[in-house]
Amino acid sequence: MAAIEKRSREDWQELDKNHHLHPFTNHKELHEQRSRIITRADGVYIFDADGNRILDGMSGLWCVNAGYGRQELITAASAQMQELPYYNNFFQCAHPPVIELSSLLKEVSQPQFNRVFFAGSGSESNDTIVRMVRTYWDLMGQPERHTIISRDNAYHGSTVAAASLGGMKAMHKQSGLPIPGIVHVDQPYWFGSDQALSPDEFGIVAARSIEAKIKELGADKIAAFIGEPIQGAGGVIVPPDTYWPEVQRICDEYGILLIADEVITGFGRLGEWFGSDYFSITPDFMPFAKGVTSGYLPLGGVMVSDRVADVLIDKAGEFFHGYTYSGHPASCAVAIANLKLIQRDNLVGRIKDDIGPYLQGKWAALADHPLVGDTRMVGLMGAFEIVKSKSPLQRFDQEQGAGGKCRDHLIANGVCMRAVGDTIICAPPFILSHGEADELIETTWKALDLTQAALAE
Ligand SMILES: *Cc1c(COP(=O)(O)O)cnc(C)c1O
């Protein structure tokens, strides 16, 4: 049965070092420190090769929302692989899982969404959108209208187009990005601003940087605006309440397509089915991936509104775009099982009314720690910011690596969270129990104390 040999941790690390180029990794550092080998997982816990049990406060990479070891997802994949492990949806073919999933996605999405285009990942979904958006405006007789506005510090994936949509300067620098026709405006990051304005005032100002860009370039050149309802990889940046309504107003006023990147916020993370529902916006596109299968198999896709889909269907002829694994049957079968599990166990409602408020309350109390300058959490997506001094507000020098130290103490004490600079971010599985939430918070207090002691040295 087992396709993988049993080896010692040291053997795994040695082979890994010699033959594996990791994504988003400094290899020199990795080679000195060696990789952490994760061998199995159950519920909200992952286990490393030494048998350490770690509470996964990141749901893998924001994806294992239903938790590990869910038999119905495993069975769905295995049964589908027996029945039909692969067939494509190109030309005029389809298979039951892709059809079933399409209609289920329509059911959980806002009413403007009746159709879905499948991809294998979030990055591919955003590449799809770049092509669809430009094709749409071509078909509308406005071929000049090709520029997409995004935001600094956004994350939309790692392919050339998706990384261009993203606003990560370090990513752009390594490969001559962004590609032409993608521009960036301010992010709605109040805590990272000079805090001269109230959050509500700041939200309006950040949104109006989109309007300023539209006026600068000409509305007849702007195809779309893309944003994550809450920025994830950028540091869980929760926009002020005023931000999204103003963005919606601007998109409506200038006729610009609105893309809500729901790769993290989709399928319940914020206590609503989508981040767009949470913020009451009505996007024209919703790229999704990650949580759609709880990460058990890769799958991405784009919910396409009738405004765009009707034009593509009527006027495009053939849209020359697709992936071999667009709507892979096993991935679709897992997605169906996953969405049904979320519905059956009312996990979205549980985040809204039960575990969400429970963890949020304890998370907010972390602000009492001398190192914690800001806390925020919506649904089960949160962050806190490590600061040198709260009043006046002072950050640590980046060389001190405060965030990285705290993350290392967290992991050493049995909780996995991520550091984005000095921001610690958290997105646990939806099945997190109250007891597990207590454990997560207690370990965080401990890690903060240890970080404080280390920084004082
Ligand atoms: C992870 C992520 C992506 C990219 O998805 P991949 O499956 O890694 O290609 C896109 N957008 C957002 C908001 C993400 O968090």
Side-chain angles (χ1 to χ4, degrees):
M1 262 293 278
I4 315 292
E5 277 187 52
K6 270 211 168 348
R7 299 180 193 273
S8 69
R9 169 174 48 82
E10 290 76 13
D11 284 357
W12 287 123
Q13 287 174 325
E14 186 64 16
L15 287 171
D16 183 62
K17 167 178 183 273
N18 292 338
H19 305 301
H20 180 197
L21 286 172
H22 291 228
F24 281 98
T25 295
N26 177 331
H27 283 84
K28 268 217 170 114
E29 256 174 47
L30 176 77
H31 291 178
E32 283 159 17
Q33 294 161 12
R34 297 300 169 101
S35 40
R36 178 175 303 109
I37 313 289
I38 305 302
T39 51
R40 64 188 187 89
D42 188 32
V44 300
Y45 293 101
I46 53 176
F47 296 84
D48 69 17
D50 295 324
N52 293 311
R53 189 183 85 151
I54 301 164
L55 197 164
D56 185 1
M58 282 307 298
S59 307
L61 271 179
W62 325 84
C63 52
V64 188
N65 294 350
Y68 298 93
R70 301 304 297 250
Q71 195 55 50
E72 49 263 76
L73 305 196
I74 299 160
T75 306
S78 135
Q80 184 56 46
M81 284 190 195
Q82 303 239 12
E83 185 78 17
L84 180 73
Y86 175 76
Y87 202 72
N88 68 74
N89 298 293
F90 280 37
F91 319 125
Q92 301 197 359
C93 294
H95 46 69
V98 80
I99 300 167
E100 194 74 37
L101 178 59
S102 303
S103 70
L104 188 52
L105 286 166
K106 177 244 168 338
E107 205 182 286
V108 297
S109 304
Q110 293 178 7
Q112 73 274 25
F113 293 117
N114 284 295
R115 293 188 175 82
V116 53
F117 188 101
F118 287 101
S121 68
S123 302
E124 289 177 7
S125 304
N126 283 323
D127 273 50
T128 299
I129 288 178
V130 171
R131 298 206 57 212
M132 258 188 203
V133 155
R134 291 179 174 172
T135 303
Y136 168 81
W137 286 115
D138 290 347
L139 295 171
M140 295 295 285
Q142 299 186 56
E144 296 291 295
R145 207 160 173 158
H146 273 194
T147 297
I148 300 173
I149 300 178
S150 179
R151 303 178 294 182
D152 295 334
N153 197 37
Y155 188 76
H156 297 295
S158 266
T159 53
V160 167
S164 295
L165 288 172
M168 304 267 171
K169 295 272 182 326
M171 284 177 78
H172 290 169
K173 210 171 138 201
Q174 274 175 340
S175 34
L177 302 180
I179 55 173
I182 294 175
V183 296
H184 298 82
V185 298
D186 296 340
Q187 57 175 333
Y189 181 25
W190 179 81
F191 190 77
S193 75
D194 60 13
Q195 303 186 5
L197 301 174
S198 73
D200 279 353
E201 291 164 345
F202 181 82
I204 297 285
V205 169
R208 292 212 177 135
S209 71
I210 303 166
E211 193 165 36
K213 186 58 85 178
I214 294 168
K215 287 182 172 155
E216 177 196 327
L217 300 179
D220 55 341
K221 302 283 193 306
I222 308 298
F225 169 77
I226 184 168
E228 306 152 79
I230 292 177
Q231 287 154 265
V236 183
I237 290 160
V238 180
D241 292 342
T242 51
Y243 180 76
W244 277 112
E246 183 66 4
V247 173
Q248 179 82 60
R249 178 200 61 83
I250 292 166
C251 288
D252 291 348
E253 187 167 330
Y254 298 92
I256 288 162
L257 295 165
L258 175 57
I259 306 158
D261 185 336
E262 298 273 5
V263 171
I264 290 174
T265 48
F267 310 108
R269 173 64 57 194
L270 305 186
E272 299 285 347
W273 271 92
F274 291 94
S276 299
D277 304 332
Y278 180 83
F279 287 110
S280 302
I281 53 173
T282 52
D284 299 292
F285 292 94
M286 293 196 306
F288 62 84
K290 295 193 172 116
V292 68
T293 58
S294 280
Y296 279 53
L297 282 177
L299 184 70
V302 184
M303 298 305 300
V304 183
S305 66
D306 291 343
R307 172 182 175 188
V308 176
D310 289 348
V311 172
L312 281 179
I313 291 166
D314 270 2
K315 299 191 178 158
E318 182 172 344
F319 180 48
F320 301 106
H321 178 77
Y323 307 102
T324 302
Y325 299 131
S326 285
H328 188 284
S331 301
C332 289
V334 169
I336 294 164
N338 180 56
L339 297 182
K340 287 191 168 163
L341 181 161
I342 291 173
Q343 287 177 324
R344 183 200 65 203
D345 294 350
N346 187 27
L347 292 183
V348 183
R350 183 173 184 268
I351 291 180
K352 184 175 181 147
D353 300 322
D354 177 4
I355 189 63
Y358 184 79
L359 185 64
Q360 288 156 23
K362 300 198 166 222
W363 192 261
L366 293 169
D368 292 340
H369 195 281
L371 279 189
V372 176
D374 185 48
T375 69
R376 44 188 185 260
M377 183 173 280
V378 178
L380 286 181
M381 182 173 182
F384 63 80
E385 306 234 10
I386 299 176
V387 299
K388 190 169 175 182
S389 141
K390 298 194 199 194
S391 173
L393 181 62
Q394 231 187 328
R395 316 301 299 246
F396 285 103
D397 294 334
Q398 279 307 296
E399 300 81 73
Q400 288 178 271
K405 284 192 170 75
C406 185
R407 174 208 51 219
D408 292 348
H409 285 302
L410 278 162
I411 293 176
N413 286 281
V415 170
C416 179
M417 295 200 241
R418 254 171 81 190
V420 179
D422 287 347
T423 306
I424 301 292
I425 60 178
C426 173
F430 298 0
I431 56 161
L432 187 79
S433 69
H434 287 217
E436 289 157 351
D438 294 345
E439 182 187 335
L440 184 149
I441 293 292
E442 277 159 30
T443 306
T444 305
W445 278 100
K446 184 170 171 192
L448 279 165
D449 288 344
L450 291 165
T451 305
Q452 189 179 19
L455 287 166
E457 272 171 21

